[in-house]
Amino acid sequence: MEEAPLGVLCLDSSFTKPLGHLRNPDTFRHPIRYEVLQGIDIPRLLHAPGDELGALLVDRARRLEREGVCAIAGSCGFMARYQERVAAAVTVPVVLSSLTLLPWLASVHGGTGRIGVLTADSGALKRAHFVGAGWQGPLPVVQGLEDGDEFRQVILEGRRDDLDLAAMAQELAQATRRLKAQAPLDAVVLECTDLSAFVEVVRREAGCPVYDIVPALELILRSAAGRQQSAPDPLVTG
């Protein structure tokens, strides 16, 4: 039986999506259905969120569900503020942001202050995003990428589409060192889906486990895909 695809709610962007990125279909061994939100770019989501955008995400999530996806993801961690609303509107699992990992990781790693977050823009990441992702405690330590020339020009401002992978890796390494300097870390969460392709850079610099949306979705897909298959015959012993 053909596998039901993963549905991804995507911002309107055209820069390079390297292997490991959520929007590179070769990242997953699973069919993907991308739903691009035309005209909704990164600046709009970061700096002008609102009920209208939330309603659009709900509408497109319901469309993806009607088309038969097994789960729904978001292409930007800042969609976290709409996590609860979208998840309540459909019956399939929804992971709009890697920030949804934080409550679980606080239990796994035994505390809140030792989990760091690398984000696209530290000034734009508000408590509402953490609360939307199910987080109720003190905010984790946060470090943004907004001061990196390559990240800012290509991703935050959309001035170029040709992402320099080496420059991006260097900026991410610097940001990780700044994050680590703020507090001892037991784990790092990559809020920004554009960082998933560089997880090994972060892991090397942070010296601790690093979590991003891709393996979180792989866990969801293994569970959701299992529901698509017929249950095996029970093992009879005796």
Side-chain angles (χ1 to χ4, degrees):
M1 183 172 63
E2 183 178 354
E3 288 184 293
L6 168 68
V8 182
L9 296 168
C10 302
L11 296 183
D12 193 352
S13 66
S14 56
F15 58 83
T16 305
K17 309 298 192 299
L19 184 65
H21 194 287
L22 175 66
R23 289 188 63 180
N24 185 321
D26 291 332
T27 295
F28 296 95
R29 295 181 178 179
H30 195 91
I32 309 293
R33 165 72 170 87
Y34 293 110
E35 178 71 24
V36 178
L37 308 174
Q38 298 293 336
I40 308 298
D41 57 11
I42 291 173
R44 165 71 189 280
L45 178 61
L46 268 60
H47 303 295
D51 288 341
E52 181 181 351
L53 182 53
L56 176 62
L57 289 171
V58 166
D59 176 74
R60 298 303 175 83
R62 285 172 171 164
R63 176 189 295 181
L64 287 171
E65 183 175 33
R66 289 194 299 269
E67 293 175 353
V69 301
C70 65
I72 295 172
S75 75
C76 178
F78 280 80
M79 291 182 184
R81 67 164 64 229
Y82 304 108
Q83 168 70 31
E84 184 176 2
R85 181 175 177 182
V86 175
V90 296
T91 62
V92 296
V94 174
V95 183
L96 294 187
S97 173
S98 60
L99 296 181
T100 57
L101 292 169
L102 286 171
W104 176 64
L105 292 177
S107 176
V108 169
H109 289 284
T112 61
R114 299 178 69 90
I115 300 175
V117 175
L118 281 171
T119 182
D121 188 329
S122 58
L125 188 63
K126 308 296 186 181
R127 175 172 289 275
H129 297 100
F130 291 97
V131 172
W135 183 252
Q136 300 296 332
L139 297 185
V141 291
V142 173
Q143 176 64 49
L145 274 292
E146 64 269 19
D147 293 331
D149 288 341
E150 187 69 14
F151 189 89
R152 185 181 67 256
Q153 291 178 19
V154 176
I155 296 175
L156 290 179
E157 298 175 354
R159 285 194 270 161
R160 293 188 289 110
D161 288 340
D162 55 321
L163 182 63
D164 185 326
L165 299 183
M168 180 73 166
Q170 183 177 14
E171 291 178 2
L172 189 50
Q174 293 172 346
T176 305
R177 290 193 289 269
R178 291 176 185 147
L179 177 67
K180 189 177 179 180
Q182 294 187 50
L185 297 175
D186 290 323
V188 173
V189 173
L190 306 182
E191 168 276 316
C192 179
T193 58
D194 301 312
L195 307 183
S196 293
F198 304 90
V199 65
E200 292 303 327
V201 174
V202 180
R203 185 176 291 116
R204 182 178 66 247
E205 295 291 341
C208 64
V210 178
Y211 300 88
D212 67 283
I213 195 169
V214 171
L217 290 172
E218 288 173 342
L219 174 61
I220 294 293
L221 287 172
R222 283 198 298 270
S223 301
R227 291 203 304 269
Q228 305 296 321
Q229 299 169 1
S230 299
D233 293 333
L235 179 64
V236 179
T237 60

